[in-house]
């Protein structure tokens, strides 16, 4: 490291490794240490037009060949990195499950990507970013390679307040951003977040950054927060108003040990929306302009239909009810016609595929049933399965079978029919546990562990699983025994099924410790 001093004797640290962001006030290279950044994260702040996107582009271009990158791009400005540096552009117009799976593959294959959120409204952008970031965060340990995760306009994804966004979307996005900044380091993730205003960014997200690049800002509250983060006196905060576009004050272990003003260097690629520049007005005479404006042109868009320009008449309540009932009947008849066009075997195979996809999500066991049902309806509409998507009772039964690993074809067996008839006497939330035990008993497989039974019940608590077994035994549905080694065996008296002994408690303890370690 080099430590040049300015006229006041203050030493500035310049890294002898990493990338060059630009130059300092003396014209010396201003460097950023990538290895240090991977452990300490970066926050960039500046008003619109201060050069934040230019700074991010410079950082990403300089480090493109050194470390894997993922960019959350709400405006589609960074997709131009693809042609020059080989980034893969991921269109966010996908299901959350698809985005999570793509993000997981990205980590395993170490591909640099740009998540293009352009054209989506704010709430959809938040949901897509949350699914993508969670997919990156939840990757298996063997895929925890070093990765820069840059989030432009971070105040959209980690807002300080709720605004007009639904609480569910805000929590999902804020939780993903918090995981990135608070817990991402152990997984090799280095968060780089850029925001127009610190006051709009959630404090628990901003507080996790140890490196700062503060650009031009004018509001007192933003200048005060910037000066606090940089350890500057309040009277020095006014200096942020004097920064030119592309100038930033740098501080942090990956940048400088003392506040250092730097000028960001040039970039190779360009965004779609550059800095506005003045253009001379056309020198067309006024008469010609009038002809161009008032005379029709072959390139004119189609005019709006009269019905779109006339104010609609108010609809009475009775008329509205009739319209809703008619629309519902029409949709039901169309769905029934679609279902009748599918043979039974194809329908069962499609439903098995849908439930397998839904239940393959890591948190599927803990999602509320109405949310899973909405996801199921969406998949049914996509596959054009018809009215089956409207049958809540059938859905609950199939969900219980799916959680137990029992296919609809297995349920046609005589013994299974008897077991299913017995399960209907249990509360709906317990049927999945009962059927999971029945499947193991029917296959003479080892009795499921407490953790597996709790998951089928939608709980994280193994003690809740043991309570369920006690309850079902007291009601006469099953018979629980323990052999001399302390291994559990469950029997089904009505059909003569019996599980093999459960795994030894030592193995269960290891599995439980491994699960707790992954959650930590």
């Amino acid at each position: 490291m080099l430590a040049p001093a300015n006229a006041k004797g203050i030493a500035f640290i310049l890294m002898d490794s990493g990338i060059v962001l630009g130059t300092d006030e003396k014209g010396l290279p201003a460097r950023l240490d990538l290895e240090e950044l991977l452990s300490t994260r970066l926050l960039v702040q500046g008003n619109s037009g201060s050069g934040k996107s230019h700074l991010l582009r410079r950082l990403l271009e300089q480090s493109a060949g050194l470390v894997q990158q993922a960019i959350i791009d709400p405006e589609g400005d960074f997709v131009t990195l693809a042609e020059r540096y080989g980034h893969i552009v991921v269109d966010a117009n996908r299901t959350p499950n698809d985005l999570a799976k793509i993000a997981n593959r990205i980590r395993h294959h170490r591909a640099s990507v740009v998540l293009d959120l352009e054209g989506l409204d704010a709430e959809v952008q938040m949901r897509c970013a949350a699914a993508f970031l969670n997919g990156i965060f939840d990757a298996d340990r063997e895929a925890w390679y070093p990765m820069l995760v840059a989030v432009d306009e971070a105040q959209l994804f980690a807002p300080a307040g709720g605004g007009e966004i639904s609480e569910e979307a805000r929590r999902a996005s804020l939780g993903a951003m918090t995981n990135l900044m608070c817990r991402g380091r152990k997984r090799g993730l280095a968060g780089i977040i850029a925001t127009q205003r610190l006051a709009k960014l959630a404090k628990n997200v901003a507080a996790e950054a140890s490196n700062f690049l503060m650009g031009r800002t004018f509001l007192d509250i933003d200048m005060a927060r910037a000066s606090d983060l940089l350890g500057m006196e309040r009277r020095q905060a006014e200096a942020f108003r004097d920064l030119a576009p592309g100038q930033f004050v740098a501080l942090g272990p990956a940048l400088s040990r003392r506040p250092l003003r730097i000028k960001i260097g040039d970039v190779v690629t360009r965004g779609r929306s550059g800095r506005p520049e003045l253009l001379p007005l056309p020198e067309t005479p006024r008469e010609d302009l009038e002809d161009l404006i008032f005379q029709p042109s072959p390139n004119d868009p189609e005019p709006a239909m009269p019905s779109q320009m006339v104010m609609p008449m108010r609809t009475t309540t009775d008329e509205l009810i009739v319209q809703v009932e008619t629309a519902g009947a029409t949709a039901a008849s169309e769905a029934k016609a679609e279902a009748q066009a599918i043979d039974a075997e194809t329908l069962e195979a499609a439903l098995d595929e849908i439930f397998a996809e839904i239940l393959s999500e890591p948190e599927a066991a803990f999602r509320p049933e109405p949310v899973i049902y909405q996801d199921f309806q969406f998949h049914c509409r996509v596959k054009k399965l018809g009215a089956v998507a409207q049958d809540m009772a059938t859905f609950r039964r199939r969900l219980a079978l799916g959680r137990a690993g029992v296919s609809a074809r297995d349920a046609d067996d005589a013994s299974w029919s008897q077991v299913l008839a017995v399960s209907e006497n249990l509360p709906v939330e317990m049927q999945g546990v009962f059927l999971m035990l029945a499947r193991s008993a029917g296959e003479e497989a080892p009795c499921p562990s407490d953790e597996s039974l709790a998951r089928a019940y939608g709980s994280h608590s193994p003690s809740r699983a043991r309570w369920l077994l006690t309850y079902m035994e007291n009601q006469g549905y099953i018979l629980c025994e323990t052999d001399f080694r302390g291994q559990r065996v469950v029997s089904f008296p009505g059909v003569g099924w019996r599980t093999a002994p459960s795994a030894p408690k030592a193995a269960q303890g290891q599995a439980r410790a491994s699960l707790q370690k992954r959650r930590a």
Side-chain angles (χ1 to χ4, degrees):
M1 297 183 181
L2 305 175
N6 65 1
K8 297 181 180 180
I10 299 177
F12 298 122
I13 301 301
L14 295 177
M15 305 300 174
D16 58 0
S17 64
I19 62 173
V20 178
L21 285 181
T23 56
D24 63 10
E25 294 176 292
K26 294 183 178 181
L28 298 175
R31 299 180 180 272
L32 182 145
D33 190 326
L34 283 177
E35 290 188 354
E36 188 67 33
L37 178 63
L38 290 171
S39 300
T40 51
R41 298 168 292 280
L42 171 65
L43 170 63
V44 180
Q45 188 267 346
N47 288 159
S48 178
S50 61
K52 295 188 310 301
S53 297
H54 179 86
L55 186 156
L56 285 181
R57 188 175 295 275
R58 171 75 180 190
L59 191 158
L60 294 168
E61 287 182 356
Q62 294 293 308
S63 62
L66 304 175
V67 65
Q68 184 184 2
Q69 301 173 350
I71 304 116
I72 309 298
D73 187 6
E75 300 295 336
D77 282 340
F78 292 93
V79 296
T80 53
L81 292 171
E83 183 176 352
R84 179 64 182 251
Y85 296 100
H87 289 63
I88 297 173
V89 179
V90 178
D91 182 5
N93 192 18
R94 305 171 188 270
T95 65
N97 190 33
D98 287 342
L99 283 175
K101 290 179 179 178
I102 289 171
N104 192 281
R105 296 190 202 109
I106 286 167
R107 292 226 69 186
H108 280 83
H109 297 289
R110 304 188 68 183
S112 291
V113 298
V114 179
L115 179 64
D116 185 8
L117 300 171
E118 185 182 16
L120 304 177
D121 62 46
E123 184 165 333
V124 176
Q125 285 188 344
M126 294 175 76
R127 293 179 186 274
C128 290
F132 186 80
L133 289 174
N134 286 334
I136 290 176
F137 183 84
D138 294 335
D140 297 333
R141 181 179 291 272
E142 59 267 19
W144 289 2
Y145 301 108
M147 186 180 197
L148 297 183
V149 183
V151 183
D152 196 14
E153 305 296 348
Q155 74 279 356
L156 300 177
F157 308 105
E164 298 180 357
I165 303 299
S166 69
E167 184 65 15
E168 180 186 357
R170 189 189 72 85
R171 285 185 178 181
S173 181
L174 181 58
M177 290 286 289
T178 303
N179 280 338
L180 170 65
M181 298 299 290
C182 298
R183 301 169 58 200
R185 183 183 64 83
K186 292 183 178 180
R187 291 162 173 79
L189 302 176
I192 302 174
I193 55 176
T195 181
Q196 291 185 8
R197 293 195 55 202
L198 285 171
K200 289 186 176 181
L201 185 66
K203 290 184 178 180
N204 59 333
V205 172
E208 295 301 324
S210 301
N211 300 286
F212 306 96
L213 285 164
M214 299 298 180
R216 183 177 62 184
T217 187
F218 293 96
L219 294 180
D220 291 342
I221 185 173
D222 292 328
M223 289 192 296
R225 284 193 63 182
S227 61
D228 288 341
L229 289 172
L230 297 179
M232 300 168 60
E233 296 180 7
R234 290 297 178 95
R235 59 184 178 82
Q236 296 177 302
E238 299 258 346
F240 291 111
R241 288 176 175 161
D242 300 329
L243 294 174
Q247 285 187 336
F248 289 82
V249 178
L251 179 68
L255 293 162
S256 168
R257 292 183 182 175
R258 296 290 184 272
L260 172 66
R261 183 179 296 195
I262 65 174
K263 174 71 174 178
I264 305 302
D266 295 332
V267 294
V268 177
T269 61
R270 290 288 184 271
R272 293 177 178 176
S273 54
R275 185 179 179 84
E277 297 179 355
L278 290 175
L279 294 174
L281 293 173
E283 298 181 357
T284 309
R286 181 174 63 85
E287 294 78 7
D288 294 340
L289 278 177
E290 289 180 349
D291 292 338
L292 292 173
I293 292 171
F294 296 114
Q295 295 297 325
S297 168
N299 298 324
D300 287 344
E302 290 294 328
M305 297 297 292
S307 59
Q308 295 175 304
M309 296 184 290
V310 178
M311 291 296 292
M313 298 180 61
R314 289 181 61 90
T315 305
T316 65
T317 302
D318 292 339
E319 291 173 341
L320 184 60
I321 292 174
V322 171
Q323 292 177 9
V324 171
E325 290 177 348
T326 304
T330 303
S333 62
E334 292 177 354
K336 185 176 181 180
E338 289 178 350
Q340 290 175 347
I342 304 173
D343 62 87
E345 185 175 353
T346 304
L347 178 61
E348 291 298 328
L351 289 174
D352 286 342
E353 183 181 346
I354 290 173
F355 277 98
E357 182 175 355
I358 292 174
L359 295 174
S360 66
E361 298 182 13
E363 296 298 316
F366 313 110
R367 294 171 64 197
E369 189 176 276
V371 176
I372 300 178
Y373 183 58
Q374 291 178 359
D375 196 9
F376 170 73
Q377 286 182 312
F378 171 77
H379 282 81
C380 286
R381 287 195 296 269
V382 170
K383 294 182 179 292
K384 298 183 178 180
L385 299 187
V388 66
Q390 311 302 320
D391 189 346
M392 188 64 175
T394 302
F395 164 76
R396 284 174 172 165
R397 172 56 95 201
R398 292 295 293 258
L399 182 63
L401 290 171
R403 283 175 168 168
V406 181
S407 69
R409 286 180 288 275
D410 294 335
D412 294 334
D413 180 77
S415 298
W416 266 112
S417 298
Q418 183 176 349
V419 170
L420 290 172
V422 172
S423 70
E424 291 178 356
N425 298 321
L426 285 165
V428 174
E429 62 271 15
M430 294 186 185
Q431 292 179 8
V433 178
F434 180 81
L435 293 174
M436 176 180 283
L437 291 167
R439 186 198 63 178
S440 298
E443 298 174 353
E444 298 183 355
C447 181
S449 65
D450 293 345
E451 288 79 7
S452 298
L453 295 175
R455 187 175 181 86
Y457 186 66
S459 171
H460 291 285
S461 171
S463 61
R464 179 56 61 91
R466 294 189 288 272
W467 175 84
L468 288 171
L469 291 174
T470 303
Y471 173 84
M472 287 189 282
E473 185 176 22
N474 291 339
Q475 297 297 318
Y477 295 108
I478 60 174
L479 177 62
C480 293
E481 302 173 274
T482 305
D483 64 13
F484 291 107
R485 294 177 295 175
Q487 299 174 1
R488 183 173 60 220
V489 177
V490 175
S491 303
F492 287 74
V495 292
W497 290 353
R498 180 185 177 88
T499 69
S502 61
K505 289 187 176 180
Q508 291 187 20
Q510 292 176 1
R512 188 179 299 112
S514 177
L515 178 63
Q516 292 175 349
K517 187 176 181 181
R518 287 199 302 270
R519 289 177 183 167

